[in-house]
Amino acid sequence: MQGHRFPRHIPIDIPAAASSPPWTELPGDVTADILRRLGPAGMLLIAQRVCTTWWKACKDPTLWRVIDFSDPNERKCTLKYIAMCRHAVDRSQGQLLDLTIQYFGDDALMNYIVDRSPNLKRLKLGSCFYISGYCATRMAAKLGHLEELHLTLRPCIGAADIEAIGYSCPMLKSFSCNGLKYKFPTLLKASSTLCALDRK
């Protein structure tokens, strides 16, 4: 019985080497703009895991000069976001200029941030009810470059504390506390503890 004859050479389809994802070829400024739009949580939880190019880009301190943690979901996982905020501040390597935190945070976190952010110019703490007024007053004394400071704390700080903040921050142009507004001269005479100043 004659056996079956097989071709000596069997064609095999060899897949081409995988090319790099298109986003790795983007100019650096475009990549930076995309990452900024994702915000700090998006960069730490998602973007830096996408590829080596983005992982390296997420290490750039200039991407962390503005840090905004104001997602309402942050109130559900406060410990997770406290850890992420610390990480984000570390990534800034002292270049942090603008920081917004809402719904989480405590005195320990604020001390950590202030000790590592000597150039901070704008700070907003919204609905941060575990940060004490005493801590807010004390940290302002370490932030001599502050131009804007906005606080929503419980309990609120008093007029004497706000006056101390004003003297500690000679570059301060805008200050608010729990949302109410008063002119600067009126503020220093006010007995209300819910107050805000705008110094022009």
Side-chain angles (χ1 to χ4, degrees):
M1 181 176 178
Q2 187 176 3
H4 295 288
R5 293 182 179 180
F6 295 95
R8 292 182 179 179
H9 302 289
I10 301 175
I12 300 175
D13 292 331
I14 301 176
S19 59
S20 300
W23 57 81
T24 63
E25 306 300 328
L26 293 172
D29 58 336
V30 176
T31 298
D33 184 61
I34 292 172
L35 295 176
R36 287 191 187 96
R37 292 170 185 267
L38 294 175
M43 284 193 282
L44 291 172
L45 296 177
I46 301 172
Q48 68 178 5
R49 303 180 182 182
V50 169
C51 61
T52 302
T53 300
W54 279 22
W55 180 80
K56 291 180 179 179
C58 287
K59 298 279 189 177
D60 183 357
T62 61
L63 280 179
W64 303 93
R65 289 176 178 171
V66 177
I67 298 175
D68 187 343
F69 282 104
S70 57
D71 187 334
N73 291 324
E74 293 163 2
R75 72 182 74 190
K76 302 176 184 177
C77 306
T78 57
L79 293 179
K80 172 184 175 182
Y81 281 97
I82 285 175
M84 279 201 293
C85 188
R86 287 173 177 254
H87 199 173
V89 170
D90 290 341
R91 289 280 179 94
S92 75
Q93 297 183 20
Q95 297 186 35
L96 179 59
L97 300 175
D98 187 327
L99 175 63
T100 298
I101 297 176
Q102 288 188 258
Y103 312 116
F104 71 91
D106 53 22
D107 288 4
L109 174 63
M110 294 315 304
N111 289 330
Y112 187 90
I113 292 169
V114 168
D115 289 342
R116 290 160 178 80
S117 308
N119 299 308
L120 196 62
K121 292 186 176 181
R122 180 184 179 276
L123 176 61
K124 179 180 179 180
L125 305 177
S127 301
C128 297
F129 297 138
Y130 294 99
I131 298 174
S132 69
Y134 170 74
C135 176
T137 305
R138 185 179 57 184
M139 72 183 182
K142 298 181 180 181
L143 298 174
H145 295 286
L146 267 185
E147 296 178 3
E148 290 187 44
L149 178 60
H150 307 288
L151 307 172
T152 304
L153 309 173
R154 186 170 54 202
C156 184
I157 55 180
D161 296 318
I162 294 173
E163 182 177 4
I165 289 174
Y167 287 122
S168 298
C169 304
M171 301 178 69
L172 197 64
K173 299 176 182 177
S174 179
F175 175 87
S176 64
C177 184
N178 289 22
L180 300 183
K181 277 194 165 186
Y182 297 93
K183 294 295 182 180
F184 181 55
T186 305
L187 172 68
L188 298 183
K189 299 177 182 179
S191 59
S192 172
T193 58
L194 299 179
C195 46
L197 88 90
D198 273 317
R199 184 190 299 166
K200 298 181 180 179

